[in-house]
């Protein structure tokens, strides 16, 4: 029985990812989750009290996976510059991933304090890695530089998601060049 519940929970989270990546937070409703999974709406409530609870669980499950991918890319890099490039490129590579799209939809929306805190903590882990690389480059304000660098990554993510003007590769190359030239100063 417990295994069945775990499967149902997984199916609900997967449906939530799809809904978020297709239509943002407005699309994430209990009727939509019920319809996607074939469960009764009352059954959805047995797993999650609220939309915020679904979002919190998604953050708890997906953020660490996503952060670990970025971390692994950085650990494979030899130099501080290469670590910074890996940090930027890996985040941009993950834009098409449903997990990432769901996470972006979530962090852009109004959440309760608990869910916001989980997101902040996960982002904090990523920021800590980049602060270290910036410190190794001899940056005098590594924490500030890390926040501004992440702002550049977020802007590049939004640009890729618009799916308009430039190819994702061009956006990634430009972001990397800007960041690396910028942090050298």
């Amino acid at each position: 029985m417990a295994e069945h519940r775990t499967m149902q929970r997984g199916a609900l989270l997967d449906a939530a990812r799809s809904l978020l990546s297709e239509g943002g937070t407005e699309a994430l409703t209990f009727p939509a989750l019920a319809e996607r999974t074939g469960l009764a709406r009352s059954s959805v409530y047995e797993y999650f009290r609220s939309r915020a609870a679904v979002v919190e669980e998604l953050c708890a499950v997906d953020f660490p996976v996503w952060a670990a991918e970025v971390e692994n890319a950085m650990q494979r890099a030899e130099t501080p510059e290469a670590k910074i490039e890996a940090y930027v490129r890996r985040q941009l590579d993950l834009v098409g991933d449903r997990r990432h799209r769901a996470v972006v939809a979530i962090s852009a929306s109004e959440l309760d304090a608990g869910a916001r805190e989980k997101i902040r903590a996960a982002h904090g882990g990523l920021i800590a890695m980049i602060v270290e690389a910036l410190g190794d480059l001899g940056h005098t304000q590594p924490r500030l530089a890390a926040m501004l660098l992440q702002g550049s990554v977020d802007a590049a993510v939004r640009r890729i998601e618009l799916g308009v003007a430039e190819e994702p590769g061009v956006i990634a190359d430009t972001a990397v060049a800007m960041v690396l030239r910028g942090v050298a100063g």
Side-chain angles (χ1 to χ4, degrees):
M1 193 67 199
E3 193 176 317
H4 180 68
R5 282 192 68 79
T6 305
M7 273 175 56
Q8 299 279 47
R9 195 173 197 87
L12 283 164
L13 288 176
D14 211 45
R17 276 181 205 107
S18 293
L19 290 164
L20 282 165
S21 66
E22 290 160 21
T25 38
E26 301 78 54
L28 180 61
T29 64
F30 277 38
L33 282 172
E35 192 183 321
R36 287 280 167 110
T37 54
L39 291 168
R41 202 183 312 183
S42 58
S43 299
V44 178
Y45 281 100
E46 286 174 32
Y47 291 92
F48 297 105
R49 300 179 314 284
S50 63
R51 258 171 34 143
V54 177
V55 164
E56 268 192 69
E57 179 121 356
L58 266 183
C59 293
V61 171
D62 288 356
F63 249 106
V65 172
W66 180 67
E69 293 222 16
V70 177
E71 192 171 355
N72 290 340
M74 287 180 75
Q75 283 171 345
R76 285 194 301 274
E78 302 285 321
T79 64
E81 290 88 349
K83 284 185 188 312
I84 290 165
E85 179 167 352
Y87 176 83
V88 174
R89 285 196 189 278
R90 195 65 197 116
Q91 285 191 67
L92 298 181
D93 287 345
L94 292 168
V95 171
D97 185 281
R98 261 179 347 132
R99 274 202 171 93
H100 180 268
R101 281 221 301 277
V103 156
V104 168
I106 288 166
S107 55
S109 68
E110 273 312 295
L111 293 175
D112 66 27
R116 272 201 304 273
E117 196 40 58
K118 280 200 174 78
I119 288 174
R120 248 198 308 279
H123 267 301
L126 282 180
I127 295 287
M129 290 187 292
I130 205 69
V131 167
E132 189 181 340
L134 289 163
D136 291 343
L137 275 180
H139 211 285
T140 55
Q141 294 280 340
R143 192 141 192 91
L144 173 61
M147 297 312 218
L148 297 174
L149 189 158
Q150 185 59 47
S152 297
V153 173
D154 295 342
V157 165
R158 282 193 297 278
R159 189 86 190 155
I160 290 170
E161 286 187 330
L162 286 172
V164 284
E166 312 85 0
E167 288 294 309
V170 172
I171 295 170
D173 291 346
T174 306
V176 166
M178 263 186 61
V179 159
L180 287 177
R181 278 202 291 271
V183 297

